[in-house]
Amino acid sequence: MEPVIKINPGASKWDIRQRVWDYIEEKNLANFPRPVHNRIPNFKGANQACNRLADLQEFKSSHTVKVNPDRPQQQARFATLEAQKTLLVPTPRLRTGLFNKITPPQGATKEQLRICSSSQGVRDFSVPVGLDAKVKVDLVVVGSVAVSEKGFRIGKGEGYADMEYGMMASMEAVNESTVVVTVVHDCQVVNIPEELIESHDLTVDYILTPTRVIKTDCELPKPQGIIWTKLDMEKLEKIPILKTLRALEEQAGKDVTLGAALDAAAEPALHAAQPKRQTRRRPKRNTQQDAEGESKQSPPRGEGQQKGRLRPARVRKASRGDDKGGDESEIGEKRKVKSGRNMREKGPEEKSGEVTSQRKIPATVTTVYLGGIPTGVRVSELKTALREREAPPLRLTWQGAQHRAFLDYNDPEAAEKALEALQGLSLNGQSLQAELAKSQRGGKRSGESNRRPRPSPALKPKTSTSTDDAAETTEQ
């Protein structure tokens, strides 16, 4: 069958994601949560596609099935429990471990099994499974943004499915005989160039859609473990179980060297005292971590007594991209408030509402201005796009509320290469503007705002409650 979405020659993974997300939204092919951008789409017909799982011989002969926690795979989780197989579900964003084993009550009814296959099931009917557990997974069900009939898969860009499989391979829970299935809408089956698939990318053996079952006969090998050179300290700080696995593999004598370029830049920044935004006429704030692991501002209230008022509903709706502010996975976690930390030094940046790193920046650093960033885009999405374009900066200053970011590069030559790579970059279907920053002239600090200061501090400006108003500076 000819794909309904045409992929242009030379398209990147990010370009393919955008084409699929845009098409699903334009054709109204998705259920809640909407919009589908930056998610595994909960497409219409997901239940019909999941029901095809029970017809696979590989599923019938399996004992333990691991199914991703996204909403479109809920029916696959139900089918696994109904067939009285062991169901493993990854913990959201791998924050608290690798996965949970769902254990329904004895003699559970269909209604109880449906509850067990939802987020409530993880809370009420699960036990954690550690890295040292002796588990053999026979079949893996993952979500996808796009997949090809050859078995090449593209996720939403954060690599969790790839890391989950890599960790299972490291603990010998999967091997060459393990079958990998993805569940997608027919429109998500597109032509993906093989050159886009890297050694850490998970490929699939079967594609289930509402109308057909595709056996891919994929010849590319699946990940044999975690490829540490593709990770940095920032990722390890966000996913503690990766640190645990790295320590275990290091004890076993394996090479666990992190990516040199990323590690050298990111690790010092993570251990340094990070500056924190503090606006005039406002008390100090605690930081809150959202589902992407990015730092957001929240009022200094106790988690237990004021959890429901951490952020106004209107702001949550705008920043999360759906009308309930939910997590991207159906089996989500409640946000946790971290204690106030990382006090910042006051400086001239305070007037422009920016933060700058305390780390010294070389004098040769050249800054690139990136404008036209669409509303709702997260800094993590931009980072992913920059890595895919092979243009990761030395430092990134995020000003999402102003629809812009500043990218610092080591020298003018590196900045020029980045500018060339960023031409034609688009996020959420909107083209971005990349050019040398005006701050390269006039002696301004890189990433510093060009706005003139307010004439009088006595005037009380309207202060936005959007969490994107705080600029975010990260070391790459």
Side-chain angles (χ1 to χ4, degrees):
M1 181 183 294
E2 190 69 20
V4 296
I5 299 177
K6 306 299 181 184
I7 303 302
N8 296 326
S12 67
K13 287 182 180 178
W14 194 257
D15 295 330
I16 295 173
R17 292 186 189 105
Q18 292 293 340
R19 291 280 292 123
V20 172
W21 285 328
D22 290 346
Y23 184 90
I24 290 176
E25 282 296 330
E26 289 168 5
K27 302 298 183 181
N28 193 31
L29 298 176
N31 295 317
F32 172 86
R34 302 279 294 272
V36 298
H37 293 84
N38 310 306
R39 306 179 188 278
I40 299 297
N42 184 24
F43 59 93
K44 294 179 179 178
N47 285 357
Q48 293 94 307
C50 288
N51 286 336
R52 295 182 179 276
L53 185 64
D55 297 329
L56 294 181
Q57 182 57 44
E58 290 83 352
F59 177 80
K60 293 177 181 178
S61 61
S62 66
H63 297 284
T64 301
V65 181
K66 176 250 183 187
V67 185
N68 271 27
D70 302 292
R71 180 70 67 86
Q73 278 79 54
Q74 180 168 343
Q75 184 67 13
R77 298 192 291 274
F78 171 77
T80 301
L81 293 176
E82 188 178 39
Q84 299 183 345
K85 301 179 185 297
T86 299
L87 172 62
L88 301 178
V89 179
T91 60
R93 300 184 180 278
L94 301 176
R95 284 176 179 155
T96 58
L98 182 51
F99 37 57
N100 294 284
K101 176 183 176 182
I102 310 300
T103 307
Q106 191 72 24
T109 64
K110 279 194 174 185
E111 186 57 36
Q112 288 175 316
L113 292 181
R114 292 195 185 281
I115 293 174
C116 289
S117 65
S118 69
S119 58
Q120 184 179 343
V122 172
R123 292 194 302 269
D124 300 340
F125 302 100
S126 72
V127 292
V129 177
L131 287 173
D132 56 348
K134 300 300 181 183
V135 177
K136 183 182 185 303
V137 177
D138 304 301
L139 189 140
V140 174
V141 181
V142 297
S144 302
V145 173
V147 65
S148 76
E149 292 192 5
K150 294 182 178 180
F152 307 151
R153 173 190 174 273
I154 294 177
K156 63 178 181 283
E158 295 178 329
Y160 285 101
D162 305 321
M163 285 188 289
E164 289 161 10
Y165 192 91
M167 282 189 273
M168 287 192 293
S170 295
M171 59 190 289
E172 299 181 349
V174 295
N175 54 37
E176 296 81 5
S177 64
T178 305
V179 176
V180 178
V181 178
T182 192
V183 181
V184 296
H185 191 276
D186 287 279
C187 74
Q188 293 174 259
V189 182
V190 300
N191 291 324
I192 299 175
E194 183 173 343
E195 57 267 22
L196 291 181
I197 305 305
E198 302 179 67
S199 56
H200 66 278
D201 288 325
L202 178 63
T203 56
V204 303
D205 303 297
Y206 284 94
I207 304 169
L208 309 183
T209 80
T211 65
R212 55 184 175 149
V213 175
I214 304 170
K215 191 174 188 298
T216 67
D217 296 317
C218 185
E219 297 179 355
L220 292 185
K222 296 180 176 63
Q224 299 301 304
I226 293 293
I227 304 174
W228 297 106
T229 54
K230 292 183 177 290
L231 300 177
D232 58 15
M233 278 302 300
E234 182 180 4
K235 181 67 74 174
L236 264 64
E237 291 295 330
K238 290 180 180 178
I239 306 176
I241 193 172
L242 275 177
K243 297 172 72 174
T244 303
L245 177 60
R246 186 179 182 225
L248 291 173
E249 294 201 350
E250 188 173 27
Q251 290 176 6
K254 296 183 180 180
D255 184 3
V256 294
T257 304
L258 298 178
L262 293 173
D263 192 23
E267 191 165 4
L270 288 166
H271 290 88
Q274 293 289 320
K276 177 183 172 186
R277 180 177 184 258
Q278 180 182 352
T279 57
R280 290 177 295 174
R281 299 184 181 86
R282 284 200 172 195
K284 296 177 183 177
R285 299 182 174 200
N286 295 335
T287 58
Q288 175 183 338
Q289 204 148 25
D290 74 351
E292 296 292 338
E294 305 299 338
S295 179
K296 304 288 186 181
Q297 299 289 345
S298 63
R301 301 190 182 270
E303 179 182 7
Q305 66 186 114
Q306 294 290 347
K307 185 178 293 185
R309 298 179 59 191
L310 290 176
R311 295 171 63 192
R314 179 181 63 80
V315 176
R316 186 174 300 175
K317 176 179 178 180
S319 62
R320 298 294 302 162
D322 61 69
D323 61 356
K324 291 190 178 181
D327 193 67
E328 290 183 15
S329 62
E330 200 278 330
I331 298 179
E333 292 184 312
K334 293 186 178 179
R335 301 182 180 189
K336 297 181 180 178
V337 181
K338 293 189 176 180
S339 59
R341 63 178 182 180
N342 304 335
M343 302 302 295
R344 84 171 182 79
E345 299 177 3
K346 294 182 179 179
E349 297 87 358
E350 183 173 292
K351 292 178 181 283
S352 65
E354 296 182 22
V355 258
T356 55
S357 173
Q358 294 177 349
R359 188 175 175 217
K360 292 184 179 180
I361 302 297
T364 57
V365 161
T366 304
T367 303
V368 169
Y369 166 84
L370 202 59
I373 298 174
T375 301
V377 168
R378 302 169 184 158
V379 65
S380 59
E381 297 161 25
L382 176 58
K383 289 179 184 177
T384 299
L386 293 175
R387 290 191 182 103
E388 290 187 355
R389 294 267 177 160
E390 297 184 354
L394 175 69
R395 186 179 70 164
L396 184 154
T397 301
W398 174 257
Q399 295 182 341
Q402 287 78 37
H403 309 291
R404 65 190 180 193
F406 294 91
L407 316 177
D408 289 343
Y409 293 92
N410 279 318
D411 49 48
E413 182 179 355
E416 287 296 335
K417 288 183 179 178
L419 278 173
E420 183 177 348
L422 295 176
Q423 296 307 307
L425 174 63
S426 65
L427 294 176
N428 289 1
Q430 182 171 323
S431 297
L432 273 59
Q433 172 190 1
E435 60 186 29
L436 283 177
K438 292 182 180 179
S439 57
Q440 298 304 119
R441 301 185 296 274
K444 290 187 178 182
R445 292 179 62 177
S446 61
E448 186 169 306
S449 172
N450 291 311
R451 292 182 298 171
R452 300 176 66 181
R454 293 185 177 91
S456 172
L459 297 176
K460 294 184 178 180
K462 293 182 179 179
T463 305
S464 170
T465 57
S466 171
T467 56
D468 288 334
D469 284 347
E472 178 175 324
T473 300
T474 60
E475 302 289 347
Q476 293 293 97

